[in-house]
Amino acid sequence: MINRIRDIRKSKGLTLAELAEACDPPTTAQTIGRLETGMRNLSLKWMERIAGALGVDAEALVRSEETPQAQIVAELTMAGAEALESPREAILPTDLSSSEGGAARMVLSVSASIGEFRPGDLLWLRQLSPEDAGSAINRDCLVPRPGGRFAFGRLIDRRGTLVGILPPGAGEKQQVVDNPPWIAVANMLVRRL
């Protein structure tokens, strides 16, 4: 098994000390470093503590040696593509968002060019309760409508139980949904080249 703690920690922008502090109960940066490098045994108990602090499923922290994993080899900056000091494992969207606040994940598949979206795009969404809609204002959202239909577009308004969505197509009118059971905010676009 390959230990993925360091790759996931770095992809979330955390230091050893920040991850150690986020554990419940907190631990030391030295302990996290030893667990990452294999100098300390990664028990199931440690996997659960670290996974909870990273907001991922415990099984995301390790992978089989037979499973090849994509590597991040360069970073695109204002100066152009620059090589990394050493390649690091690319973490899948499912590994990064699996326990995001307990929110359900869903994916919207795009089959036509609409606004900035292209056929083949996959839009990863995180489900919110309607009370948390304020955090999704001016973001692309999927909102369920009566009859098994959906409204998709920019969340532009929230008044009482009403939610205003501006569809991505040019010249389309605002759609208003009354009392949706949930709102799913877009948090990642996956596009094939």
Side-chain angles (χ1 to χ4, degrees):
M1 292 300 232
I2 295 175
N3 181 326
R4 304 173 68 205
I5 298 170
R6 176 178 288 146
D7 292 321
I8 294 172
R9 173 180 61 79
K10 286 186 173 187
S11 70
K12 290 193 172 254
L14 297 174
T15 65
L16 286 169
E18 289 168 336
L19 177 55
E21 185 63 32
C23 285
D24 183 22
T27 187
T28 65
Q30 183 179 22
T31 299
I32 298 295
R34 287 180 175 165
L35 289 163
E36 282 185 354
T37 60
M39 296 193 63
R40 183 168 180 173
N41 187 30
L42 183 60
S43 66
L44 185 56
K45 181 180 175 184
W46 273 112
M47 284 178 64
E48 289 171 355
R49 282 176 69 186
I50 293 170
L54 288 170
V56 299
D57 290 328
E59 41 297 339
L61 299 179
V62 293
R63 71 170 173 83
S64 169
E65 290 182 24
E66 290 104 37
T67 307
Q69 186 66 26
Q71 297 286 308
I72 299 173
V73 296
E75 183 175 7
L76 187 59
T77 68
M78 294 301 288
E82 297 181 6
L84 299 178
E85 287 183 26
S86 62
R88 63 180 190 265
E89 186 176 340
I91 307 300
L92 297 172
T94 52
D95 292 340
L96 289 175
S97 62
S98 59
S99 299
E100 223 171 79
R105 296 173 320 228
M106 46 187 76
V107 178
L108 174 68
S109 174
V110 179
S111 62
S113 290
I114 300 172
E116 62 191 56
F117 302 106
R118 304 290 171 256
D121 286 354
L122 295 175
L123 197 58
W124 286 70
L125 307 156
R126 181 174 41 92
Q127 189 173 322
L128 304 173
S129 65
E131 301 84 52
D132 297 328
S135 66
I137 294 289
N138 281 332
R139 305 230 357 236
D140 288 325
C141 294
L142 182 68
V143 180
R145 296 174 59 199
R149 295 175 297 147
F150 293 95
F152 175 76
R154 189 68 40 129
L155 179 65
I156 57 172
D157 197 12
R158 169 75 182 187
R159 291 193 187 150
T161 62
L162 300 177
V163 176
I165 301 289
L166 186 60
E172 293 200 34
K173 294 182 181 178
Q174 174 183 343
Q175 296 179 356
V176 178
V177 181
D178 188 13
N179 201 21
W182 50 264
I183 295 169
V185 63
N187 62 354
M188 185 180 312
L189 172 67
V190 178
R191 176 175 288 166
R192 289 193 181 273
L193 296 178

